[in-house]
Amino acid sequence: MKFVMTKSTPARIAIADFLSSSAYPVDIGSIIRFLRSKNLKTNKVTVYRTIDFLLQEDLVKRVEFGEGKYRYELQKDHHHHLICTNCKKIEDVEGEYLRDLESKIRNKKGFLVKNHSLEFFGICKQCQQ
Amino acid sequence: MKFVMTKSTPARIAIADFLSSSAYPVDIGSIIRFLRSKNLKTNKVTVYRTIDFLLQEDLVKRVEFGEGKYRYELQKDHHHHLICTNCKKIEDVEGEYLRDLESKIRNKKGFLVKNHSLEFFGICKQCQQ
DNA sequence: GTCACTGCAAAGGCTTTGCATGTAC
DNA sequence: GTACATGCAAAGCCTTTGCAGTGAC
């Protein structure tokens, strides 16, 4: 992944790398742990500010899984998440399932949907066995 | 609304009243403000503990609107929310739109959906004018 | 050399915990 | 009287802010 940042610094490069290599949304803590594992003694404030920058540039998306904190992932094709409440694994579900619904909402309620959050909580295949 | 609580106290009664009279999910702060307006000098910890109790009894549902805090509403017919990003007004959308989708997820991914979060963000009718 | 980024310390908001006191029953 | 609920203080997380110092360009 390449960011169009005004300045390219070790912290930003590492955060970009981590987001690129993460299959699923990560929280600030795991970013910091990654940076430490690379012996980059980055401050958490830098992480927050880098994420803010990426959010504003619309390179990153913020999601919530009911944990009392945010998670972040690179913008990619529209998708949602399957979150196993047992083992905490996260899977993707691709698709634009709500497009028709959003038109209906427009027609019935006059409400213009700009975006939505949709996450599924349940038990993954492995944990059912 | 009537709670099946082991003990009925002024704080619990007032919180139940407030939740019953709230058309949309409320945060802890607004519950406390309501209690103060009724001259009940309830501690916020009591509010949190009452909400915890109601969540465990499945009388209340917890939702997130990307605000960095939780909101709570009485359990009622399955529905989702339209959140105006301009005036912050919240509307309901009734319906079980995702039932088919959840079966598909079951068949395709083997993931058993127990519940989901779905909220729509956009511009309400009034704010479009 | 400049301007943007970083680090540190501190604070702010939401939520939880421990423990002694109070109260519904 | 007893078990449960409350209040207070304190702490735990996550996140944000201010300001001085550093580094990318």
Side-chain angles (χ1 to χ4, degrees):
Chain A
M1 160 189 201
K2 56 172 189 293
F3 291 163
V4 185
M5 293 188 288
T6 47
K7 286 185 187 177
S8 188
T9 65
R12 292 185 161 193
I13 291 163
I15 294 171
D17 284 351
F18 184 56
L19 287 170
S20 301
S21 66
S22 299
Y24 304 107
V26 296
D27 61 12
I28 298 290
S30 65
I31 297 174
I32 292 172
R33 263 174 268 124
F34 173 82
L35 295 171
R36 296 222 200 292
S37 77
K38 295 286 178 189
N39 291 316
L40 287 165
K41 42 180 163 26
T42 312
N43 190 278
K44 69 182 167 200
V45 176
T46 300
V47 177
Y48 276 106
R49 285 197 274 231
T50 301
I51 291 290
D52 283 348
F53 171 83
L54 297 173
L55 284 170
Q56 278 173 27
E57 298 295 314
D58 211 38
L59 294 167
V60 157
K61 193 181 175 206
R62 193 175 77 178
V63 295
E64 292 178 297
F65 292 170
E67 303 167 298
K69 66 185 171 186
Y70 297 119
R71 286 176 176 264
Y72 307 89
E73 68 182 343
L74 291 187
Q75 286 286 12
K76 52 181 174 174
D77 287 351
H78 194 81
H79 69 284
H80 301 289
H81 303 103
L82 306 179
I83 301 137
C84 180
T85 52
N86 187 53
C87 71
K88 313 301 176 197
K89 193 182 60 182
I90 300 164
E91 297 175 61
D92 282 356
V93 212
E94 315 295 341
E96 294 264 14
Y97 309 107
L98 302 176
R99 201 168 272 170
D100 292 349
L101 184 51
E102 292 186 356
S103 320
K104 275 187 201 157
I105 289 171
R106 180 74 192 268
N107 295 332
K108 280 194 181 171
K109 303 253 186 182
F111 187 99
L112 178 58
V113 176
K114 295 286 193 182
N115 59 64
H116 58 250
S117 70
L118 171 58
E119 318 298 345
F120 297 93
F121 299 89
I123 307 295
C124 73
K125 200 170 186 173
Q126 290 86 325
C127 288
Q128 286 172 51
Q129 290 162 356
Chain B
M1 158 189 205
K2 56 173 188 292
F3 291 165
V4 185
M5 292 189 290
T6 48
K7 288 186 186 177
S8 187
T9 65
R12 291 185 162 192
I13 291 163
I15 293 170
D17 285 351
F18 184 56
L19 287 170
S20 301
S21 66
S22 299
Y24 304 108
V26 297
D27 60 13
I28 298 290
S30 64
I31 297 174
I32 293 172
R33 263 174 267 124
F34 172 81
L35 296 169
R36 295 222 200 295
S37 77
K38 296 285 178 191
N39 290 316
L40 288 165
K41 38 180 164 28
T42 313
N43 191 278
K44 71 183 168 202
V45 176
T46 299
V47 177
Y48 276 106
R49 286 197 273 230
T50 301
I51 291 290
D52 283 347
F53 171 83
L54 298 172
L55 284 169
Q56 278 173 26
E57 297 295 315
D58 211 38
L59 295 168
V60 156
K61 192 180 177 209
R62 192 175 77 179
V63 295
E64 292 178 296
F65 292 170
E67 303 166 297
K69 65 183 172 188
Y70 297 119
R71 286 174 176 265
Y72 308 89
E73 66 182 343
L74 291 187
Q75 286 286 12
K76 51 179 176 176
D77 288 352
H78 194 81
H79 69 284
H80 300 290
H81 302 103
L82 308 179
I83 300 136
C84 179
T85 52
N86 187 53
C87 71
K88 313 301 178 196
K89 192 182 60 184
I90 300 164
E91 297 176 62
D92 281 356
V93 213
E94 314 295 340
E96 293 266 14
Y97 309 106
L98 303 176
R99 202 168 270 170
D100 293 348
L101 185 50
E102 292 186 357
S103 321
K104 275 187 203 160
I105 290 171
R106 180 74 192 269
N107 295 332
K108 280 194 180 171
K109 304 253 185 181
F111 187 99
L112 179 58
V113 176
K114 295 285 191 181
N115 60 61
H116 58 250
S117 71
L118 171 57
E119 318 298 345
F120 297 93
F121 300 89
I123 307 296
C124 72
K125 201 170 185 174
Q126 289 86 327
C127 287
Q128 287 172 49
Q129 290 162 356

